[in-house]
Amino acid sequence: MIPEIETKSAAEIKAFQENQLQLMLAYLSKNSPFYKRHFETHQLYISEIQTLEDLTKIPVTTKDDLQQFNDDFICVPKSKIIDYVTTSGTLGDPVTYVLTDADLERLAYNEAISFACAGVSSDDTLQLMTTMDRRFMAGLAYFLGVRKLGAGIIRVGAGIPELQWDSILKFQPTYLIVVPSFLLKMIEYAQQHNIDLNASGIKGAICIGEAIRNEDFTLNTLGKKITEHWNIPLFSTYASTEMSTAFTECSSQQGGHLHPELIIAELLDEHNNPVKEGETGELTITTLGVEAMPLLRFKTGDMMTAHHESCVCGRNTLRLGPIAGRKKQMIKYKGTTLYPPAMQNVLNNFNELECFVIEISHNAIGTDEILIKIASHTPSEQLLGQIKDHFRAKLRVTPKLEWCDKKEIDALRFPKLSRKPILVIDKRK
């Protein structure tokens, strides 16, 4: 199930996207209060935007814009709105995002072709191990996509290894949709209850919300810890509420594929100019085919690298590498630039750690400080020394580490109304 446009040449894909861009610009200039004002303020004429390269003439849209002028992004009357979701608010106040019936159909199509990209077919059954409530778009998107693909779905929800295993053994799903670190809890439960992981019938896991690969696409520490016990392929997928689109790995597992009929992707530097090929930049997206809240040159805050060469799967679309980190969470620490995922990867090497949370703050002279609160069944100075040595070896610097009670860390990681664990607390102003 590869959409025909994804196997076209790079030139044909570009021409297709430029045609879709024209339709999108005309729609915004007619229906979007925010973008009408945006175009007028910056004296932009959409007739001047003919190519993808011309996009650089349009000032970017930021998360601050979405927060400040949320309702002005809505392009349809309230009577057409079918569903309301909110962003997770990881880097600021949550934003309301609305969808029409056509947007839900687009969302279903996106997930159907994304699952198919990872090898899922109508013959499969997927176990959904994330929430569908709390105004969370992802869980709904997965459900709609599986349904459109014609596959089966088991809506177990998040957490509770015993219930997850009960469903696996009873209904025999073939794929899991899961936050990868939770697979470690699934493995631990299976080992404690004599469940044969590799006889469970699971063919693969669609991994959401956490990185499982290094920049060269090899498995990172978390990915290795899962697969050394459970011999299943892990597929990365990257998405966000604002994009209403997913970048999912195919069987070659060399980055998440762009769907050119759904989204235009740019990687920009700090001056909002395109980065050179192979360089890391901030993903900036333009949605195609969205009815209620389309976005034009929206900066996601996520730093990554794009790969342009054709893929062995037959697709000729751009692929995105793993997220290096969020731009707002970049840390300058003792002369070294760090992102939290690199620190998480170091900490995941230690099975003795039950949980951790990374706190970023400014010190008295205004430079960045890092405090990592860690919990373990067996805290010791020896273990602390080993962790510090590993930080020095991998990242050249050692942040401050502090033993804490697991309950204290869990209270920080799971604040009230949170839909997913918080691993980074940024206290900088």
Side-chain angles (χ1 to χ4, degrees):
M1 185 181 172
I2 303 179
E4 185 180 354
I5 186 60
E6 299 189 22
T7 62
K8 298 286 188 181
S9 69
E12 288 173 308
I13 291 172
K14 182 175 184 290
F16 169 83
Q17 288 209 308
E18 286 171 348
N19 181 63
Q20 295 301 303
L21 177 61
Q22 296 298 312
L23 298 175
M24 194 264 197
L25 289 170
Y27 182 82
L28 287 176
S29 64
K30 180 181 178 183
N31 298 292
S32 171
F34 176 83
Y35 284 110
K36 281 183 190 177
R37 189 166 65 243
H38 195 59
F39 296 155
E40 290 170 4
T41 300
H42 297 284
Q43 297 184 315
L44 290 168
Y45 300 96
I46 61 171
S47 59
E48 296 176 357
I49 312 300
Q50 297 293 324
T51 68
L52 296 187
E53 289 79 9
D54 290 339
L55 280 170
T56 57
K57 298 175 182 178
I58 305 172
V60 296
T61 303
T62 66
K63 297 201 175 193
D64 288 342
D65 292 327
L66 262 183
Q67 288 167 346
Q68 190 175 352
F69 306 108
N70 202 166
D71 289 351
D72 287 352
F73 283 86
I74 299 174
C75 295
V76 296
K78 189 170 184 179
S79 60
K80 287 200 72 173
I81 296 172
I82 298 296
D83 193 61
Y84 293 80
V85 298
T86 48
T87 60
S88 58
T90 305
L91 297 177
D93 294 331
V95 168
T96 298
Y97 195 85
V98 300
L99 299 96
T100 65
D101 192 56
D103 292 334
L104 290 176
E105 179 60 29
R106 179 189 177 281
L107 200 61
Y109 169 79
N110 159 72
E111 289 298 343
I113 60 175
S114 296
F115 286 135
C117 190
V120 182
S121 76
S122 58
D123 294 329
D124 287 302
T125 302
L126 294 88
Q127 183 150 313
L128 180 58
M129 300 166 66
T130 185
T131 183
M132 279 186 66
D133 58 6
R134 301 189 187 183
R135 304 193 301 265
F136 189 41
M137 178 186 276
L140 175 63
Y142 300 138
F143 175 78
L144 294 173
V146 171
R147 186 169 178 265
K148 188 164 187 68
L149 187 61
I153 190 162
I154 307 160
R155 295 178 292 108
V156 181
I160 320 176
E162 182 179 3
L163 180 58
Q164 303 291 351
W165 274 115
D166 178 70
S167 287
I168 291 171
L169 298 175
K170 186 177 292 183
F171 303 117
Q172 299 183 312
T174 46
Y175 286 87
L176 307 176
I177 305 170
V178 61
V179 176
S181 58
F182 185 71
L183 289 174
L184 297 177
K185 291 184 168 58
M186 296 285 290
I187 291 167
E188 182 182 14
Y189 184 92
Q191 292 170 337
Q192 292 171 350
H193 294 83
N194 298 314
I195 297 171
D196 188 343
L197 288 159
N198 295 307
S200 61
I202 299 298
K203 296 193 299 188
I206 312 296
C207 294
I208 61 173
E210 292 174 340
I212 54 168
R213 300 200 187 281
N214 300 308
E215 288 191 20
D216 63 357
F217 300 120
T218 57
L219 288 172
N220 64 13
T221 303
L222 176 58
K224 286 177 181 175
K225 287 175 78 170
I226 294 165
T227 54
E228 70 185 13
H229 296 288
W230 206 342
N231 185 26
I232 54 173
L234 306 177
F235 296 93
S236 293
T237 183
Y238 164 76
S240 72
T241 299
E242 298 93 343
M243 296 195 311
S244 293
T245 313
F247 292 76
T248 302
E249 287 183 332
C250 67
S251 56
S252 67
Q253 299 174 324
Q254 295 290 300
H257 279 280
L258 174 139
H259 301 307
E261 65 273 49
L262 298 178
I263 199 163
I264 295 169
E266 304 172 79
L267 290 182
L268 305 181
D269 63 19
E270 59 186 336
H271 303 296
N272 296 328
N273 296 315
V275 300
K276 294 177 182 177
E277 194 163 326
E279 290 184 352
T280 299
E282 181 177 0
L283 178 65
T284 301
I285 57 93
T286 295
T287 56
L288 300 173
V290 172
E291 189 173 45
M293 285 183 70
L295 294 173
L296 176 63
R297 300 201 83 209
F298 175 75
K299 299 183 76 175
T300 64
D302 292 325
M303 306 297 291
M304 55 186 70
T305 306
H307 302 264
H308 297 272
E309 62 276 12
S310 297
C311 184
V312 295
C313 72
R315 293 173 177 84
N316 294 319
T317 53
L318 171 149
R319 289 169 288 115
L320 293 180
I323 299 175
R326 292 183 181 270
K327 186 176 182 180
K328 283 191 176 181
Q329 290 179 342
M330 185 180 77
I331 308 158
K332 289 284 189 180
Y333 187 67
K334 297 180 180 178
T336 299
T337 298
L338 294 176
Y339 288 102
M343 292 186 278
Q344 293 165 22
N345 201 31
V346 170
L347 294 163
N348 283 332
N349 278 282
F350 295 89
N351 294 328
E352 299 93 334
L353 294 183
E354 291 183 90
C355 58
F356 59 84
V357 67
I358 300 167
E359 291 188 349
I360 314 166
S361 61
H362 279 150
N363 58 24
I365 59 172
T367 57
D368 292 343
E369 287 290 344
I370 306 167
L371 169 63
I372 304 179
K373 296 183 175 182
I374 52 178
S376 172
H377 289 303
T378 56
S380 68
E381 285 302 313
Q382 182 183 6
L383 176 57
L384 200 63
Q386 291 172 350
I387 297 172
K388 289 179 177 179
D389 288 344
H390 208 63
F391 266 104
R392 276 189 286 268
K394 294 293 184 181
L395 302 180
R396 301 192 303 277
V397 292
T398 305
K400 183 179 178 183
L401 297 160
E402 177 180 284
W403 291 118
C404 291
D405 184 76
K406 182 176 183 295
K407 289 181 180 178
E408 179 187 342
I409 295 176
D410 281 344
L412 295 170
R413 292 175 72 231
F414 298 98
K416 193 176 181 181
L417 300 180
S418 175
R419 299 181 303 217
K420 56 187 179 182
I422 304 297
L423 297 180
V424 182
I425 299 171
D426 195 341
K427 297 180 176 180
R428 296 173 296 183
K429 299 296 183 187

